[in-house]
Short mmCIF file of all heavy atoms in Angstrom, two decimals:
data_model
loop_
_atom_site.label_atom_id
_atom_site.label_comp_id
_atom_site.label_asym_id
_atom_site.label_seq_id
_atom_site.Cartn_x
_atom_site.Cartn_y
_atom_site.Cartn_z
N ASP A 1 5.89 -0.20 -9.94
CA ASP A 1 6.70 0.15 -11.11
C ASP A 1 8.05 -0.52 -10.89
O ASP A 1 8.88 -0.02 -10.12
CB ASP A 1 6.83 1.66 -11.23
CG ASP A 1 7.57 2.09 -12.48
OD1 ASP A 1 8.37 1.29 -13.02
OD2 ASP A 1 7.37 3.22 -12.92
N ASN A 2 8.24 -1.65 -11.56
CA ASN A 2 9.47 -2.41 -11.34
C ASN A 2 10.70 -1.65 -11.81
O ASN A 2 11.79 -1.79 -11.22
CB ASN A 2 9.39 -3.76 -12.04
CG ASN A 2 8.39 -4.70 -11.38
OD1 ASN A 2 8.12 -4.58 -10.19
ND2 ASN A 2 7.83 -5.60 -12.15
N ALA A 3 10.56 -0.84 -12.83
CA ALA A 3 11.71 -0.07 -13.32
C ALA A 3 12.20 0.92 -12.26
O ALA A 3 13.40 1.22 -12.19
CB ALA A 3 11.32 0.66 -14.59
N LYS A 4 11.27 1.40 -11.44
CA LYS A 4 11.64 2.35 -10.38
C LYS A 4 11.77 1.65 -9.02
O LYS A 4 12.04 2.32 -8.02
CB LYS A 4 10.59 3.46 -10.28
CG LYS A 4 10.52 4.33 -11.53
CD LYS A 4 9.53 5.45 -11.36
CE LYS A 4 9.51 6.35 -12.59
NZ LYS A 4 8.54 7.48 -12.46
N ASN A 5 11.53 0.33 -9.02
CA ASN A 5 11.60 -0.44 -7.77
C ASN A 5 10.73 0.20 -6.69
O ASN A 5 11.16 0.37 -5.54
CB ASN A 5 13.05 -0.55 -7.28
CG ASN A 5 13.24 -1.73 -6.34
OD1 ASN A 5 12.63 -2.78 -6.51
ND2 ASN A 5 14.11 -1.57 -5.36
N THR A 6 9.52 0.54 -7.08
CA THR A 6 8.63 1.29 -6.20
C THR A 6 7.22 0.70 -6.25
O THR A 6 6.75 0.28 -7.31
CB THR A 6 8.58 2.77 -6.61
OG1 THR A 6 9.91 3.31 -6.54
CG2 THR A 6 7.67 3.57 -5.70
N VAL A 7 6.60 0.68 -5.09
CA VAL A 7 5.19 0.30 -4.96
C VAL A 7 4.43 1.53 -4.52
O VAL A 7 4.91 2.30 -3.67
CB VAL A 7 5.03 -0.85 -3.95
CG1 VAL A 7 3.56 -1.16 -3.71
CG2 VAL A 7 5.76 -2.09 -4.45
N TYR A 8 3.25 1.70 -5.09
CA TYR A 8 2.45 2.90 -4.82
C TYR A 8 1.12 2.54 -4.17
O TYR A 8 0.61 1.43 -4.33
CB TYR A 8 2.16 3.64 -6.12
CG TYR A 8 3.38 4.08 -6.88
CD1 TYR A 8 3.83 3.37 -7.98
CD2 TYR A 8 4.09 5.22 -6.48
CE1 TYR A 8 4.96 3.77 -8.69
CE2 TYR A 8 5.21 5.62 -7.18
CZ TYR A 8 5.64 4.89 -8.29
OH TYR A 8 6.75 5.30 -8.97
N LEU A 9 0.59 3.51 -3.46
CA LEU A 9 -0.79 3.43 -3.00
C LEU A 9 -1.45 4.76 -3.38
O LEU A 9 -1.17 5.78 -2.76
CB LEU A 9 -0.90 3.19 -1.50
CG LEU A 9 -2.32 3.00 -0.99
CD1 LEU A 9 -2.92 1.68 -1.50
CD2 LEU A 9 -2.37 3.03 0.54
N GLN A 10 -2.26 4.72 -4.41
CA GLN A 10 -3.01 5.90 -4.81
C GLN A 10 -4.28 5.96 -4.00
O GLN A 10 -5.08 5.01 -4.01
CB GLN A 10 -3.33 5.84 -6.31
CG GLN A 10 -4.16 7.00 -6.81
CD GLN A 10 -3.43 8.32 -6.77
OE1 GLN A 10 -2.26 8.40 -7.15
NE2 GLN A 10 -4.09 9.37 -6.31
N MET A 11 -4.48 7.05 -3.30
CA MET A 11 -5.62 7.20 -2.40
C MET A 11 -6.47 8.37 -2.88
O MET A 11 -6.01 9.52 -2.88
CB MET A 11 -5.14 7.43 -0.97
CG MET A 11 -4.18 6.36 -0.47
SD MET A 11 -3.75 6.55 1.27
CE MET A 11 -2.88 8.10 1.23
N ASN A 12 -7.67 8.08 -3.29
CA ASN A 12 -8.61 9.09 -3.76
C ASN A 12 -9.81 9.18 -2.82
O ASN A 12 -10.06 8.27 -2.03
CB ASN A 12 -9.08 8.76 -5.17
CG ASN A 12 -7.96 8.72 -6.18
OD1 ASN A 12 -6.97 9.45 -6.06
ND2 ASN A 12 -8.09 7.86 -7.18
N SER A 13 -10.55 10.26 -2.95
CA SER A 13 -11.76 10.46 -2.14
C SER A 13 -11.49 10.20 -0.67
O SER A 13 -12.23 9.47 0.01
CB SER A 13 -12.89 9.54 -2.64
OG SER A 13 -13.17 9.78 -4.00
N LEU A 14 -10.43 10.78 -0.18
CA LEU A 14 -10.01 10.53 1.20
C LEU A 14 -11.04 11.03 2.20
O LEU A 14 -11.70 12.06 1.98
CB LEU A 14 -8.65 11.16 1.45
CG LEU A 14 -7.47 10.36 0.86
CD1 LEU A 14 -6.24 11.24 0.73
CD2 LEU A 14 -7.18 9.14 1.72
N LYS A 15 -11.13 10.29 3.30
CA LYS A 15 -12.06 10.61 4.37
C LYS A 15 -11.28 10.82 5.66
O LYS A 15 -10.18 10.28 5.82
CB LYS A 15 -13.04 9.45 4.56
CG LYS A 15 -13.79 9.05 3.31
CD LYS A 15 -14.64 7.81 3.56
CE LYS A 15 -15.38 7.37 2.31
NZ LYS A 15 -16.19 6.15 2.56
N PRO A 16 -11.84 11.55 6.62
CA PRO A 16 -11.15 11.73 7.90
C PRO A 16 -10.79 10.40 8.56
O PRO A 16 -9.74 10.31 9.22
CB PRO A 16 -12.16 12.53 8.72
CG PRO A 16 -12.93 13.31 7.70
CD PRO A 16 -13.05 12.40 6.53
N GLU A 17 -11.59 9.39 8.38
CA GLU A 17 -11.30 8.09 8.98
C GLU A 17 -10.14 7.36 8.31
O GLU A 17 -9.72 6.30 8.80
CB GLU A 17 -12.55 7.19 8.97
CG GLU A 17 -13.23 7.07 7.63
CD GLU A 17 -14.41 8.03 7.49
OE1 GLU A 17 -14.27 9.22 7.86
OE2 GLU A 17 -15.47 7.59 6.97
N ASP A 18 -9.61 7.90 7.24
CA ASP A 18 -8.40 7.36 6.63
C ASP A 18 -7.14 7.86 7.32
O ASP A 18 -6.03 7.41 7.00
CB ASP A 18 -8.33 7.72 5.14
CG ASP A 18 -9.43 7.08 4.31
OD1 ASP A 18 -9.73 5.88 4.54
OD2 ASP A 18 -9.98 7.78 3.44
N THR A 19 -7.29 8.77 8.25
CA THR A 19 -6.15 9.31 8.97
C THR A 19 -5.44 8.22 9.74
O THR A 19 -6.06 7.50 10.53
CB THR A 19 -6.60 10.43 9.93
OG1 THR A 19 -7.12 11.52 9.16
CG2 THR A 19 -5.46 10.91 10.80
N ALA A 20 -4.15 8.07 9.50
CA ALA A 20 -3.37 7.00 10.13
C ALA A 20 -1.92 7.13 9.68
O ALA A 20 -1.60 7.89 8.76
CB ALA A 20 -3.91 5.64 9.74
N VAL A 21 -1.08 6.34 10.32
CA VAL A 21 0.27 6.11 9.80
C VAL A 21 0.17 4.93 8.85
O VAL A 21 -0.35 3.87 9.22
CB VAL A 21 1.27 5.83 10.92
CG1 VAL A 21 2.65 5.54 10.33
CG2 VAL A 21 1.35 7.02 11.87
N TYR A 22 0.68 5.11 7.64
CA TYR A 22 0.61 4.07 6.63
C TYR A 22 1.98 3.40 6.50
O TYR A 22 3.01 4.07 6.39
CB TYR A 22 0.19 4.67 5.29
CG TYR A 22 -1.30 4.94 5.24
CD1 TYR A 22 -1.86 5.98 5.98
CD2 TYR A 22 -2.15 4.16 4.47
CE1 TYR A 22 -3.23 6.22 5.96
CE2 TYR A 22 -3.52 4.39 4.43
CZ TYR A 22 -4.05 5.42 5.18
OH TYR A 22 -5.41 5.66 5.15
N TYR A 23 1.94 2.07 6.50
CA TYR A 23 3.15 1.27 6.44
C TYR A 23 3.17 0.40 5.19
O TYR A 23 2.16 -0.20 4.83
CB TYR A 23 3.25 0.35 7.66
CG TYR A 23 3.34 1.06 8.98
CD1 TYR A 23 2.21 1.39 9.70
CD2 TYR A 23 4.59 1.41 9.51
CE1 TYR A 23 2.29 2.03 10.92
CE2 TYR A 23 4.68 2.06 10.73
CZ TYR A 23 3.54 2.37 11.43
OH TYR A 23 3.63 3.02 12.63
N CYS A 24 4.33 0.32 4.60
CA CYS A 24 4.58 -0.59 3.50
C CYS A 24 5.17 -1.88 4.08
O CYS A 24 5.96 -1.82 5.02
CB CYS A 24 5.58 0.07 2.55
SG CYS A 24 6.11 -0.92 1.17
N ALA A 25 4.77 -3.01 3.53
CA ALA A 25 5.26 -4.30 4.02
C ALA A 25 5.54 -5.23 2.86
O ALA A 25 4.91 -5.12 1.81
CB ALA A 25 4.22 -4.93 4.95
N ALA A 26 6.48 -6.14 3.08
CA ALA A 26 6.88 -7.06 2.02
C ALA A 26 7.10 -8.46 2.57
O ALA A 26 7.56 -8.63 3.70
CB ALA A 26 8.15 -6.56 1.34
N THR A 27 6.78 -9.43 1.74
CA THR A 27 7.06 -10.82 2.10
C THR A 27 7.31 -11.64 0.85
O THR A 27 6.70 -11.39 -0.20
CB THR A 27 5.91 -11.44 2.91
OG1 THR A 27 6.27 -12.78 3.28
CG2 THR A 27 4.62 -11.50 2.11
N LEU A 28 8.19 -12.65 1.00
CA LEU A 28 8.39 -13.63 -0.05
C LEU A 28 7.46 -14.83 0.14
O LEU A 28 7.34 -15.67 -0.74
CB LEU A 28 9.85 -14.09 -0.08
CG LEU A 28 10.87 -13.06 -0.54
CD1 LEU A 28 12.28 -13.58 -0.31
CD2 LEU A 28 10.67 -12.73 -2.01
N SER A 29 6.84 -14.89 1.30
CA SER A 29 5.98 -16.03 1.62
C SER A 29 4.75 -16.05 0.73
O SER A 29 4.23 -15.00 0.33
CB SER A 29 5.54 -15.94 3.08
OG SER A 29 6.63 -15.95 3.95
N VAL A 30 4.30 -17.26 0.47
CA VAL A 30 3.04 -17.45 -0.25
C VAL A 30 2.15 -18.27 0.67
O VAL A 30 2.30 -19.50 0.78
CB VAL A 30 3.24 -18.17 -1.59
CG1 VAL A 30 1.89 -18.35 -2.28
CG2 VAL A 30 4.20 -17.38 -2.47
N PRO A 31 1.23 -17.62 1.37
CA PRO A 31 0.39 -18.35 2.32
C PRO A 31 -0.52 -19.35 1.63
O PRO A 31 -0.79 -19.24 0.43
CB PRO A 31 -0.40 -17.23 3.01
CG PRO A 31 -0.37 -16.09 2.05
CD PRO A 31 0.90 -16.19 1.31
N SER A 32 -1.00 -20.29 2.41
CA SER A 32 -1.83 -21.34 1.86
C SER A 32 -3.18 -20.81 1.38
O SER A 32 -3.82 -21.39 0.51
CB SER A 32 -2.05 -22.43 2.91
OG SER A 32 -2.61 -21.87 4.08
N SER A 33 -3.60 -19.70 1.94
CA SER A 33 -4.85 -19.09 1.54
C SER A 33 -4.63 -17.60 1.28
O SER A 33 -3.90 -16.95 2.02
CB SER A 33 -5.91 -19.26 2.63
OG SER A 33 -7.03 -18.45 2.38
N THR A 34 -5.26 -17.09 0.25
CA THR A 34 -5.12 -15.66 -0.05
C THR A 34 -5.69 -14.80 1.07
O THR A 34 -5.35 -13.63 1.19
CB THR A 34 -5.79 -15.31 -1.38
OG1 THR A 34 -7.18 -15.69 -1.32
CG2 THR A 34 -5.13 -16.03 -2.54
#
């Protein structure tokens, strides 16, 4: 949401194996391959 300057991660149907520390990351780089 650019108006709120926020990026979201909506997580549904969560499983125990989703347990972790979640990190947000940003880059201006555009790699040669997606």
Side-chain angles (χ1 to χ4, degrees):
D1 184 335
N2 290 334
K4 295 183 177 180
N5 202 36
T6 300
V7 175
Y8 301 101
L9 185 68
Q10 177 67 43
M11 306 186 295
N12 299 328
S13 302
L14 282 161
K15 305 175 181 179
E17 51 263 45
D18 295 318
T19 295
V21 177
Y22 283 71
Y23 297 91
C24 176
T27 182
L28 291 171
S29 300
V30 180
S32 57
S33 168
T34 57

